[in-house]
Amino acid sequence: MSGTPTASTPGTTKTFPRIGVRATRKATIIAFFAWLFAVFDYIMFGTLLPEIAGAFGWTAATAALVSTLVSVGTAVFALGVGPVVDRIGRRKGMILTVSGTALASAATAATPNAAYLVGVRALGGLGLSEQAVNATYLNEIYAVTEDEAIKKRRGLVYSLVQGGWPLGVLLAAAFVAVFLPLIGWRGCFLLAVFPALLIALMRRGLRESPQFELELELRKLRKAGKGAEAAELARAYGVEDQASTPLVAIFRGAALRNTLVLGFAWFTNWFGIQVFSVLGTTVLTEGKQVSFSNSLLMLIVINAVGYLGYVTHGWIGDKLGRRNVIAFGWITSGVLFALMLTVADATIAVIVLYSLGMFFLVGPYAALLFYMGECYDTRCRATGTAFLNALSQPGAILAGAIVTALLAAGSDWGEAALIVGAVGTFLSGFVMFGARKAEVLEG
């Protein structure tokens, strides 16, 4: 590919090839829709879980167990994505993740029993990893773009992409509200295949990031026994030349502290995500006695407010620093959800507090994903972001296990959501204060 980094004359300083305005904006738009439909598939499972449970005659505890086991399988797939993307490249990795979304939707439509459903929904780990791959790719593209408007406001622009989460949740709720009465839950999953396939085809036209092209060149030199040339080329571009595997690199040096702190933050915050976002319909129907149809309408409003949270936190993160914005957002969210579960009785109060809780729960992820990309360099960036992203699933697993145990012991959904979701969200905000402030490592 033209512009690929090559060996340099000793002592010279090189810059990465620049990415044009049109290519940058095309990559941004495609990344947004890829994440939107990955979330759409992922959340549609949680949204339709009450309907699926009803079709198979499951109890509330059984449905919660199925959701927990799905999270186990999702974690396995999500953990493997990062090293693969650091090996095969960002462009191919993005095609892989969105293709996994399409496959998960198609297979879910054919579900005959609980065991099969757990197995095929594990493929959702590929789609869930979409945000990590997006963060990796766009972090590198924005660092070398010719689009100065995006480069100066990269956190804000990325927030628009990461905002595909609440919009995906909103789309899933609206889609189910319209199509469930017409084609049933199986038909809903089947229709979801087509937009994901379209995005996979569109991604074939994207170019690889210059930073990863340099990493490929360094690997070729090392493999050919030209270690000195590889070291010189790396120095010319101002990057470290280390042959350690990506998974090892994220636990070394300056990366170690953020890997540990951010990993625990993801883990605890997904107590809240699992309860209030993935299982939002269940919280509303079982915890606040809202009808299923009304819960879908409420989730549309709630997640529209959540999207504003992404834009707000992305913009403030550029101004005030991403770490503190994330921490304060999650602490506030935990308080608001606790009030919603314990104080709010009227419909308006539930909607307002749930919406504000979602604003501060999901909004900080706009800053978090870009912040994570700034914490790692090219050789391990995808592995680092995907590893942290995958730790969400152990959090979801433990959250689901605790909820299941509480329900089996006689607690109701309101109590379980308070103990697991609100407290977990609140704790994750304090954990974030332990992270180092990130530096932009390239570009």
Side-chain angles (χ1 to χ4, degrees):
M1 180 181 292
S2 177
T4 300
T6 56
S8 63
T9 303
T12 62
T13 300
K14 286 182 170 288
T15 58
F16 288 105
R18 315 310 283 179
I19 303 296
V21 172
R22 182 176 180 182
T24 301
R25 297 185 180 185
K26 177 182 177 182
T28 301
I29 293 171
I30 293 177
F32 166 75
F33 281 106
W35 179 228
L36 173 71
F37 287 112
V39 174
F40 173 69
D41 167 78
Y42 184 77
I43 294 297
M44 192 163 62
F45 168 68
T47 302
L48 287 171
L49 185 58
E51 292 295 310
I52 298 172
F56 288 104
W58 298 339
T59 64
T62 300
L65 177 60
V66 168
S67 177
T68 301
L69 293 176
V70 167
S71 296
V72 174
T74 299
V76 173
F77 276 87
L79 279 170
V81 168
V84 170
V85 174
D86 274 329
R87 175 58 55 183
I88 67 176
R90 311 335 186 186
R91 188 181 72 89
K92 291 180 180 178
M94 291 188 294
I95 294 172
L96 172 67
T97 53
V98 76
S99 297
T101 298
L103 182 58
S105 291
T108 302
T111 298
N113 53 50
Y116 173 93
L117 181 63
V118 169
V120 299
R121 288 311 306 171
L123 292 171
L126 294 175
L128 184 63
S129 297
E130 180 68 46
Q131 61 181 340
V133 182
N134 275 349
T136 298
Y137 181 67
L138 293 180
N139 194 288
E140 294 174 357
I141 293 297
Y142 292 170
V144 296
T145 183
E146 294 177 344
D147 192 327
E148 292 300 322
I150 286 181
K151 193 168 186 176
K152 291 178 181 178
R153 303 173 182 84
R154 61 183 77 181
L156 173 60
V157 174
Y158 183 74
S159 74
L160 302 176
V161 175
Q162 187 59 22
W165 177 278
L167 291 183
V169 177
L170 188 157
L171 180 62
F175 183 85
V176 169
V178 172
F179 288 101
L180 180 62
L182 302 176
I183 58 178
W185 63 267
R186 296 181 189 273
C188 289
F189 280 109
L190 193 59
L191 281 182
V193 173
F194 300 103
L197 285 178
L198 178 62
I199 295 298
L201 293 173
M202 292 174 65
R203 278 194 155 165
R204 293 173 61 87
L206 297 179
R207 64 162 292 176
E208 187 56 86
S209 75
Q211 294 92 327
F212 186 76
E213 289 175 340
L214 172 62
E215 178 63 21
L216 287 179
E217 183 64 25
L218 293 174
R219 290 178 192 172
K220 290 178 183 177
L221 291 173
R222 295 190 205 105
K223 189 174 182 179
K226 301 178 180 179
E229 290 185 32
E232 180 60 37
L233 178 59
R235 282 194 296 270
Y237 281 95
V239 301
E240 295 184 41
D241 177 37
Q242 296 185 19
S244 60
T245 61
L247 194 57
V248 171
I250 68 173
F251 288 99
R252 284 183 173 176
L256 174 60
R257 177 173 165 181
N258 276 355
T259 297
L260 297 177
V261 173
L262 292 177
F264 190 58
W266 270 88
F267 179 85
T268 52
N269 189 256
W270 262 73
F271 281 35
I273 293 290
Q274 182 73 5
V275 170
F276 297 117
S277 190
V278 178
L279 300 176
T281 52
T282 304
V283 171
L284 289 170
T285 56
E286 301 291 336
K288 303 303 292 185
Q289 289 71 54
V290 177
S291 70
F292 182 74
S293 58
N294 285 340
S295 74
L296 293 176
L297 296 176
M298 290 170 69
L299 284 177
I300 292 173
V301 175
I302 289 165
N303 284 282
V305 175
Y307 182 77
L308 297 178
Y310 274 90
V311 178
T312 301
H313 286 86
W315 176 70
I316 296 176
D318 276 340
K319 304 291 184 180
L320 303 179
R322 309 190 207 288
R323 186 196 64 179
N324 292 345
V325 166
I326 298 164
F328 284 116
W330 285 347
I331 290 171
T332 303
S333 177
V335 173
L336 290 168
F337 277 126
L339 292 174
M340 184 273 296
L341 291 165
T342 59
V343 176
D345 288 321
T347 300
I348 296 299
V350 171
I351 293 176
V352 170
L353 288 172
Y354 206 129
S355 297
L356 290 175
M358 195 64 68
F359 180 96
F360 288 105
L361 173 63
V362 300
Y365 277 89
L368 178 65
L369 268 293
F370 209 79
Y371 173 79
M372 285 159 47
E374 295 171 338
C375 291
Y376 302 104
D377 57 26
T378 303
R379 73 183 186 279
C380 64
R381 181 171 287 126
T383 296
T385 54
F387 176 81
L388 296 173
N389 180 64
L391 288 179
S392 64
Q393 294 312 291
I397 293 164
L398 183 57
I402 296 173
V403 167
T404 302
L406 289 171
L407 294 174
S411 295
D412 60 31
W413 257 100
E415 294 171 342
L418 176 64
I419 294 170
V420 178
V423 173
T425 301
F426 187 83
L427 175 61
S428 66
F430 279 100
V431 171
M432 277 300 304
F433 286 120
R436 293 181 183 273
K437 292 184 178 180
E439 297 178 1
V440 179
L441 298 175
E442 293 150 354

